[in-house]
Structure formats: structure tokens, C-alpha cells
Amino acid sequence: MQGAAIRVRGQVQGVGFRPFVWQLAGRFGITGTVLNDPEGVLIHAAGDRLDAFVAAIAAEAPPLARVDSVETAPFRFDLAPTDFRIAESTGHGAETRVTPDAATCAACIEDIHGADPRRAGYAFTNCTHCGPRFTILKGLPYDRAQTSMAPFEMCADCAAEYADPADRRFHAQPVACAACGPRLWLETAEDLPAGDAMAQAAGLIRAGRILAVKGLGGFHLCCDATNADAVALLRQRKRRPTKPLALMDRLENIPRYATLSAAEASRLQDPAAPILLLARKGDVLPGSLAPGVDRLGVMLPYTPLHHLLLQAVDRPLVMTSGNLSGEPQVIGNDEARSKLSGIVDAWVMHDREIMRRLDDSVERITPQGLMVLRHARGRVPGTLPLPEGFAEAPQVVAFGAHLKSSICLLKNGQALLSHHLGDLDEALTWDEFLKADADYADLFDHAPALFACDLHPGYRSSQHAAARAGQAPLIEVQHHHAHLAACLGENGWARDAGPVAGIILDGLGLGPDGTIWGGELLLGDYRGYRRAAWLDPAPLVGGDAAQREPWRNAVMRLDRAGLEDLAEVLFPDCPVGLIRQAAAAGMNAVPSSSAGRLFDAVAACLGLSSRRQSFEGEAAMALEALAAKAPEDFSAPYPFADDDGVISPAPMFAALAADRRAGLDPARVAARFHAGLAEVFAGAARALVESGQAGAVALSGGCFQNAVLLDLVVRKLDGVPVLAHHHVPANDGGLALGQALVAAASHRP
């Protein structure tokens, strides 16, 4: 009997795709089979309405599915099928995508609140439209035996649901109920009377205690977000003095303490369930949750456990990563008992193993659209299609930077950017980096022909790349060229579409001239670049100390502007003379064009985190929050000088000093600085486009996480094509994507 072989590629496993196809087949009178294999979903089908059936596959796909292509070819059945069946998965390997973990769907929320008596109050309820995926996965294909649910044998009721194609739990690999699935318990040093673990946990939280709560990708540290004393205690124990703490709350409560647009409400309710940065309002919550900034990081509950806990506590909760500051999030029960014992008063535990550490993703909605700050749970292991011209690219692996590290794999026309890994100076993060490298390579059957890394030989990621590559080609990619390529790749800029003007503003990246770059205008594409303009370099006195202590950058910038006296007035308790001597001698004082350090310098001049930052970007975040208070001054930018591509901030500092003497509100100073920096770089980039040298302007680098700066630059480029980041971090978390594309572009088939 003549029929068709239908190949569906994309994110089509673990999302209820086979029962969806089974239901479509019944609707269109189709006979045959559907199964999972390493390439995705394979359908053998026959019937009079095949064309309509094929069209509906992509048009009506399940909510978590992402269909890349539906390919058809003739197929002859040896025996005419009389029905439509879901067949067993076949093969090994990974040519298809794995579905990211997804927040609890509305139907499962109803179930835990009583709609399903077997799952009322059950903290591990899920179906094909929601629940754990990547965090429980051991290998492909995605079947229960390949997950950490394998030890939990389904009861008769769950097995019946699992086997029924008409049930929304058909082949939902983590399906379980209270009779057969994972169990939840509370551990504490105190003797508590027997009782419901969730109710007891809620009572401890309301009493001001700090709990460790085991979630999808690791443990959270949790306390009552309305209790200033509890927040202060958490900060003290976690050694996190000022870095903002994430919150978890129900959607209807958020407008009490944060503004919430329709776009933000929609993003919060996405299956990815990210932490979203929202504008704070009022004083309902303690200021200590996010001191010095005007945003709160808020997420909705994304597991049944979270929903039940919030219902029991009935107030917003702090939900921050369960770790000591700088270390990876803990995921194992024994690890949590050991490492969190000095921080928490009790543990909310369960016995489903977490297969990989995943922090929560962090995002914000800006006037220019969505911005991803941390690429993690809910987003990985999603993929991006490679731009036109990369179809024949070989398999590539790139190892990112040293901070905000990540790994990127290219295969079959797709780029897979790993989850956020962190700072590779930290020994435990380095271990996680090595595990992630092996994990992704094994899980996605990846055999790279090319390796890529940062130009800096001192980065551990670069050293690892060299060791992994062996005799294979290793492409060392300049840091800011990688930022440029990442932005081009995310926006689908074709390989042969020509050069763009790239405004790349970030903290630090080694330049080919041996200096530290970070405030650059590049003219280039995937294959190469030239430096068209840059910030006038100033010494980074003390190396890493200059990143931690903004006053050092302020002194160097003020001195270069002829404002030495002001430096001594502003920083009377700092060893100004000593760093001047070091700079003059060139002792651990490499020149740097870093825009990030320029932000630090201006922030220090305004008294923001001037002595020492407790976390990366603290001073710059405070400066952005300050600037947002004086939008009227965006039309009064401070001047910068542009001398044949060397952009000097000296005139800006002179104007800043004059305004300071006049007693101008610091918010207006911050706004004028932002406007001036945006104006000078946008003007130089516009000139490259208008002269025909560039086809667009690309914006990348960590400074473009600053929504005020991003919006000002885009507005000053009105009428010019602009490429910006929306789904890949502008910071170093997206660097591996750019490295991989540069390496692929160097390949000649």
C-alpha cells in the first residue's frame, strides 16, 4: 500500500507529540505508525487526507513543541495498516532537541488543588505539557528509563494514564502520584511533631526561619520576603551583603510592590518561568531585598511544590540560589545537608535525583523588547538556527570566557548554547564546567571537527579548549569579535551579508595589541574585523583590584582629564598616591579601553560603591538606576571628544566636575553621562553605515544589559538598521555562540 514517510524535526520529544499525531490521525482518517527516534519523530502514514494531516502537524503542534521542519517522502507498506499506532522508540544518539523544563500547566495546578483526588496536594504532579525534562534526563531517547524517574515504578492508575493516547499524561515520562512517585519531607535540627511537611515548612518560614527548598535544578534558600530581619539574617549567613535577592510570588500579588505590564505578565507566565526584573514601587517590601537598584527580580512558582508552599505561607518568598556566594548551586540531598547547614534552619527534601545543576534564567523587558541576562533553566537545551551560509558548517564546540562561562555546540544547522556555568576561578564551578562539557558532548552525540576559545591564554576555558582540541584545529577568537558574531548570529545575519558596525561595550577582553579592550566600535563580520574607534585607554591599576574597587578607575580617569585635585577630594581615605606611582611605573597597570570600568569611574565620582563592589556590576547597576530618575537630562548629554577614532571621556569628566561643584542632582549627572556615551558611539557607528561601509549596527557586550543605555543608543540610531540581543545574553554568557560562528566561518568545505 502506498503512503508517506513523514519526518518531523525540532523540539518534538517529551512534549506529547506522538499522542498529538495519534489524535490528528483519528481526525483525518489516517492509518500507520508514529515513533520517536534519534532524529525526532517519524510517521508512516496512509489515507485519503494525507495533505491535510501533514499541514496540521506544524500548524497545531503541542504548546511545548518547536517544529523546525516537516519532510515527506513516498513510502510503501508491506501490509496495509488498519489502524494508527504509537510504536516504541528506536535507535540511539541525538539528532533531535531535548525539551527544557517547563512550569506547571494550568490543568496540573487544578489537579493539586483538588481536581484530581489522587494528586491533591501532591508536589510532583506533571503531564506532557509541563514538568521536569532536562533536569531529570540521563540520556536519549527521552524515555522514563533514561531519567531519574526510573526508580519509581508506576502504580496501576498512573500506568493506565501513561498508556492511554487520549490522556494528557500519555508517555509523560515523570508521571507519578502520591501512591508511587517521589516523596517530600522536612528535615530540621529541632524535634518537630509528626505532621504535613508543607504545613510545617510554611510555619517555620512565617516564624522568620530560613529554609533550603529542593526545586528542579537545585536547592533554593527561602525566607519570608516581607520580614526584614529574616532577609538580613539570610544575607549574613549566605555572605551576600548587597546583591539583589530573587523573589517568588503569585501573579495577582506582584502589582502590590512592582509595576507589571501586559508583556511582563505574559513573560512571567511563559513555560520557561524566568526571574523577571520588574520596576519596584512603594515600600511594601524591605529595601534590603535589592539595595541601590530600582528593580526586583520576581518569578512565579514553577513546580507544584512551589505552588503548595506559596499557598501555605500566603506571602512573597525570597528564592535565591542555594549556595555560598560564588559557589555552584547545590543539587544533592547530602550535599545540601553538608554545605547549607550553616545557612538554613531546615530542609525541604525529596527523593527525585537532579541530574544537572540549572540556575533560574534571568530576563527583563526593555523598551527594545526582551533581554536575557542569564541563560539557564527553562531555556536550555533549546537551540538557535544558524544563519544562511552555515548549512555546511562542521560540528564545532566553543568554550566561552572566564566569567559567566558557557559552552556552545554547532551541529546540523543548529547552535546549542549551554546553561550559565559561572566564574571559572571558583574550583567547584570549574568542576561543573568540565562536567557540562562531557555531558553535552555525550547527550547530543557531538564530535567536533573545530574547537574555539577566547584569545586570552590565561582563561581556564582557553586552556581547556587547547587540551580538548589536541591536533584538531583550534580557533582563538578575540573577545569583542566574538560578541559581535554572537549578535549577528542571533539576528540571523547571513554569512555573506557583509560587514556591520559593532558597538561592543563591556568590562574586559584581551586585544591583539596586548591591552585590555572594552569600549569598541568594530567594523566586521564573522570572518574578521577592524577596530574603527575605541575609548581612550586608562591604566587598570592593580589588575583584578581595579574591577573590585571603582575608586581606582575614577582616579585614573580624573587624572587623564587634568582633574587630579578632584580625585584627592573625592577619595581622601584611599591610597591615591600609591596607585599613581604604580601607573607611572607601568606596574600591574595595563592600559584599558573598558566601558565597564568607565561606568565604575563615574559611579565612584557620585559615591556609588566607590570603595569596593560586593558583586560584579554593582556600581554600574546603581548608576543605571540613578540615571532612570532623571530622563529629562537624556537630552543634555555630556561631551566626549573623538580624535580620529580615539574617544576621550576627558570633556565628560570636566563637565561632570562642573556640575558637581554647582550642586547638580547626582541623578541628572548619571543621566547626562549615559546620554553622552550613547551619543558618541551611536554617531560613529551611524557614520559607518551612512558611508556604505556597514549594513547595520550591532550592539553587544555586558554594558548593553543596561536598559537605559540600550534605549538611548537605539534612539540615537533612528533610521539605521540595528541588531540587538533578545534571546542570547549580551554579556559573556553569549560569547561561546560568537566564538563558534567565527570558527565555523573560517571553515572551507
Side-chain angles (χ1 to χ4, degrees), residues 41 129 245 308 342 446 454 518:
V41 168
H129 303 311
L245 299 169
L308 293 167
H446 195 255
D454 194 271

Side-chain angles (χ1 to χ4, degrees), residues 245-309:
L245 299 169
L247 306 180
M248 180 178 282
D249 202 357
R250 290 177 290 197
L251 185 68
E252 61 268 23
N253 293 337
I254 294 173
R256 296 174 55 238
Y257 50 81
T259 60
L260 188 64
S261 69
E264 289 167 334
S266 175
R267 189 63 201 152
L268 282 170
Q269 296 174 86
D270 186 88
I275 296 172
L276 198 64
L277 302 189
L278 303 174
R280 184 208 300 256
K281 71 177 184 182
D283 56 1
V284 174
L285 297 180
S288 56
L289 290 168
V293 296
D294 59 350
R295 299 257 153 188
L296 292 171
V298 186
M299 58 182 155
L300 300 187
Y302 56 83
T303 71
L305 189 160
H306 294 138
H307 280 279
L308 293 167
L309 184 59

Side-chain angles (χ1 to χ4, degrees), residues 129 164 196 224 279 309-310 449 454 464 544 623 654 680 731 737:
H129 303 311
D164 181 1
D196 177 70
D224 177 358
L309 184 59
L310 271 171
D454 194 271
H464 176 71
D544 289 345
L623 191 64
V680 68
N731 60 41
L737 171 63

Side-chain angles (χ1 to χ4, degrees), residues 330-345:
V330 302
I331 60 173
N333 292 352
D334 287 341
E335 184 186 20
R337 293 182 186 105
S338 171
K339 292 195 172 183
L340 303 181
S341 60
I343 301 176
V344 304
D345 301 302

Side-chain angles (χ1 to χ4, degrees), residues 148-169:
S148 57
M149 285 297 297
F152 302 98
E153 184 176 351
M154 285 181 278
C155 66
D157 289 332
C158 285
E161 294 169 330
Y162 185 87
D164 181 1
D167 194 287
R168 80 172 198 276
R169 293 189 168 93

Side-chain angles (χ1 to χ4, degrees), residues 16-323:
F17 210 90
R18 290 173 300 167
F20 156 72
V21 171
W22 178 82
Q23 291 170 353
L24 280 185
R27 197 169 102 205
F28 289 101
I30 301 297
T31 59
T33 60
V34 58
L35 57 84
N36 283 344
D37 69 6
E39 295 185 54
V41 168
L42 179 62
I43 306 164
H44 292 132
D48 295 336
R49 302 178 66 192
L50 265 179
D51 289 346
F53 171 69
V54 171
I57 289 173
E60 302 178 25
L64 296 182
R66 301 291 183 271
V67 176
D68 290 340
S69 64
V70 179
E71 306 159 5
T72 61
F75 179 80
R76 179 169 291 279
F77 290 91
D78 293 334
L79 294 174
T82 58
D83 59 5
F84 194 89
R85 293 182 299 104
I86 296 175
E88 291 295 319
S89 301
T90 64
H92 298 281
E95 304 300 323
T96 189
R97 300 218 294 273
V98 178
T99 305
D101 302 276
T104 308
C105 69
C108 284
I109 292 173
E110 290 184 3
D111 286 348
I112 66 173
H113 290 319
D116 178 352
R118 291 175 43 238
R119 294 186 172 90
Y122 185 57
F124 305 95
T125 299
N126 66 87
C127 70
T128 54
H129 303 311
C130 68
R133 299 291 194 277
F134 194 46
T135 51
I136 63 170
L137 183 67
K138 295 181 179 179
L140 291 176
Y142 176 66
D143 287 321
R144 191 178 181 102
Q146 298 272 62
T147 74
S148 57
M149 285 297 297
F152 302 98
E153 184 176 351
M154 285 181 278
C155 66
D157 289 332
C158 285
E161 294 169 330
Y162 185 87
D164 181 1
D167 194 287
R168 80 172 198 276
R169 293 189 168 93
F170 175 78
H171 279 222
Q173 304 307 336
V175 66
C177 71
C180 64
R183 66 185 185 91
L184 185 76
W185 69 91
L186 181 73
E187 290 185 14
T188 176
E190 302 174 4
D191 290 328
L192 291 177
D196 177 70
M198 195 64 68
Q200 290 178 328
L204 289 173
I205 291 170
R206 285 195 299 268
R209 303 295 183 87
I210 298 167
L211 271 62
V213 178
K214 189 175 183 181
L216 273 183
F219 278 80
H220 285 111
L221 301 178
C222 175
C223 71
D224 177 358
T226 68
N227 185 333
D229 291 337
V231 172
L233 183 61
L234 173 58
R235 286 197 176 279
Q236 175 190 337
R237 291 180 178 179
K238 185 176 164 65
R239 303 176 202 164
R240 186 172 179 166
T242 58
K243 191 174 183 180
L245 299 169
L247 306 180
M248 180 178 282
D249 202 357
R250 290 177 290 197
L251 185 68
E252 61 268 23
N253 293 337
I254 294 173
R256 296 174 55 238
Y257 50 81
T259 60
L260 188 64
S261 69
E264 289 167 334
S266 175
R267 189 63 201 152
L268 282 170
Q269 296 174 86
D270 186 88
I275 296 172
L276 198 64
L277 302 189
L278 303 174
R280 184 208 300 256
K281 71 177 184 182
D283 56 1
V284 174
L285 297 180
S288 56
L289 290 168
V293 296
D294 59 350
R295 299 257 153 188
L296 292 171
V298 186
M299 58 182 155
L300 300 187
Y302 56 83
T303 71
L305 189 160
H306 294 138
H307 280 279
L308 293 167
L309 184 59
L310 271 171
Q311 181 186 36
V313 178
D314 195 25
R315 64 192 67 178
L317 300 174
V318 169
M319 280 282 183
T320 189
S321 295
N323 61 331

